Amino acid sequence: MTANSHGPARLAAVVINPVKSPGNGFRAEFQALCREEGWAEPLWLETTEDDPGAWQARQALESGADVVIAAGGDGTVRCVAEVLAGTGTAMGLIPLGTGNLLARNLGIGVADPIGAARDVLAGADIAVDAVKAHLDHAEDGQLFLVMAGLGYDAAIMANTVDGLKDRVGWLAYVEAGIRHLPGRPVRARIRIDGGPEVRRRIRSVLVGNCGQLMGGVEIFPQARVDDGVLDLVALSPRGRFGWFNVVAGLFGRNQDKNRSVEYLAGKSAEIILDDPQEFQLDGDHFGSGKHLLVTVVPGALTIRTSASRAEAGVLG
């Protein structure tokens, strides 16, 4: 029995970054898959440099799409999610980027675009958290799904060589990370859920809604995208071998005794810096700032994933 043996055929809208498209035949393959699964002819909405996904997602909603599929990297996913959050309309994922961090955290395969598309069309819905970020007291916050960062990690995102990323994938971020290891710490004040301030000298502060980074690295092992909690880590390397202590604190056994790494968690976090630092959301660079307020929005986004994955509750 097809997905639409009863009632009108459902409509899928694909918001796709054409630069990341897996080939000229992908659109035809997806259209054939829709026919096979009993769906209507899909909407095909390509992003542009000026419109990286938000406008296209609004067009999909206005067209009455039953599911809006973000086909691209984490930037495309974030733009589509920002529009869909709170609407009840499900977002599907066809990971085509370098990081594909949300897909990886949800256990969605990143090497088979048509397989991911089939999971969406024949799948079930799950609810995940989103996070609202306000940089430098901006009135209109921006949504993210995976991770925000101030400092070192954002500098990596801002300075990764695009040509190298095309050739070697996520390893390009490693190259940028090595280049930016030298640097001076900045004084930071961190407040969780409006509580007392934690004062540190940091190189980077990361706020996670998910736990897994590129290369399968689990920087927040306890994080779940549906737990209504933000996970935060402050990185404070000290001395010549400071970054070795950071690595040991992130991945070693004596995390509680390592002052180079400090974990915090709550429903909101305020970070105040003495000096401006680079800022990123889900891998996209957004300039620099001295103040960041982040707040979790539990269950804000509906994700359409495979029925088996939804039933198993595979949420990282």
Side-chain angles (χ1 to χ4, degrees):
M1 182 180 295
T2 66
N4 291 285
S5 296
H6 305 285
R10 289 178 290 177
L11 174 65
V14 179
V15 178
I16 184 167
N17 181 346
V19 176
K20 305 291 186 180
S21 178
N24 294 331
F26 177 65
R27 182 173 182 175
E29 286 185 83
F30 184 80
Q31 291 170 330
L33 179 62
C34 286
R35 291 191 292 271
E36 176 186 329
E37 295 292 332
W39 287 63
E41 186 75 8
L43 295 179
W44 200 262
L45 304 166
E46 293 189 350
T47 67
T48 67
E49 187 173 347
D50 293 330
D51 293 307
W55 179 86
Q56 293 82 355
R58 287 192 290 270
Q59 288 294 108
L61 286 178
E62 291 173 6
S63 299
D66 296 280
V67 63
V68 182
I69 300 174
D74 290 308
T76 304
V77 171
R78 194 190 65 79
C79 288
V80 173
E82 194 157 39
V83 174
L84 296 185
T87 66
T89 298
M91 180 176 76
L93 298 176
I94 298 179
L96 302 177
T98 303
N100 301 310
L101 293 183
L102 182 63
R104 294 178 192 275
N105 277 276
L106 296 176
I108 297 171
V110 300
D112 182 6
I114 287 297
R118 188 181 300 275
D119 284 347
V120 172
L121 297 183
D125 292 345
I126 57 176
V128 304
D129 303 336
V131 187
K132 205 72 170 180
H134 297 261
L135 183 68
D136 283 348
H137 306 282
E139 183 176 351
D140 295 326
Q142 294 175 300
L143 179 143
F144 70 93
L145 298 171
V146 180
M147 199 166 296
L150 280 170
Y152 171 71
D153 74 296
I156 293 173
M157 302 303 173
N159 293 282
T160 300
V161 179
D162 287 338
L164 185 62
K165 190 163 61 172
D166 291 339
R167 293 196 301 272
V168 301
W170 65 268
L171 289 174
Y173 295 107
V174 176
E175 186 273 338
I178 293 172
R179 280 191 285 116
H180 286 82
L181 278 175
R184 303 182 68 176
V186 61
R187 295 182 187 275
R189 291 173 285 155
I190 303 170
R191 183 181 290 118
I192 302 296
D193 293 339
E197 290 183 349
V198 175
R199 294 174 178 262
R200 296 290 183 268
R201 290 176 61 85
I202 60 95
R203 282 293 308 280
S204 187
V205 175
L206 298 171
V207 182
N209 190 39
C210 303
Q212 186 178 143
L213 296 182
M214 287 168 291
V217 174
E218 288 278 357
I219 195 166
F220 295 113
Q222 305 303 316
R224 288 179 57 89
V225 76
D226 64 343
D227 61 2
V229 174
L230 295 172
D231 292 271
L232 182 147
V233 64
L235 306 182
S236 306
R238 294 174 171 86
R240 175 181 292 184
F241 301 106
W243 283 111
F244 289 102
N245 290 330
V246 167
V247 172
L250 289 173
F251 311 115
R253 296 181 179 179
N254 296 319
Q255 292 177 336
D256 295 339
K257 299 179 181 180
N258 192 321
R259 296 187 60 200
S260 296
V261 174
E262 183 165 7
Y263 282 96
L264 302 165
K267 297 183 181 301
S268 68
E270 182 181 18
I271 304 159
I272 306 165
L273 306 175
D274 278 7
D275 301 301
Q277 296 292 297
E278 304 290 343
F279 175 60
Q280 64 90 6
L281 292 176
D282 287 353
D284 284 338
H285 182 245
F286 280 86
S288 61
K290 295 173 62 176
H291 183 276
L292 177 64
L293 177 65
V294 287
T295 306
V296 68
V297 187
L301 183 66
T302 301
I303 298 282
R304 179 74 53 79
T305 187
S306 72
S308 60
R309 191 174 298 115
E311 184 178 354
V314 182
L315 295 173

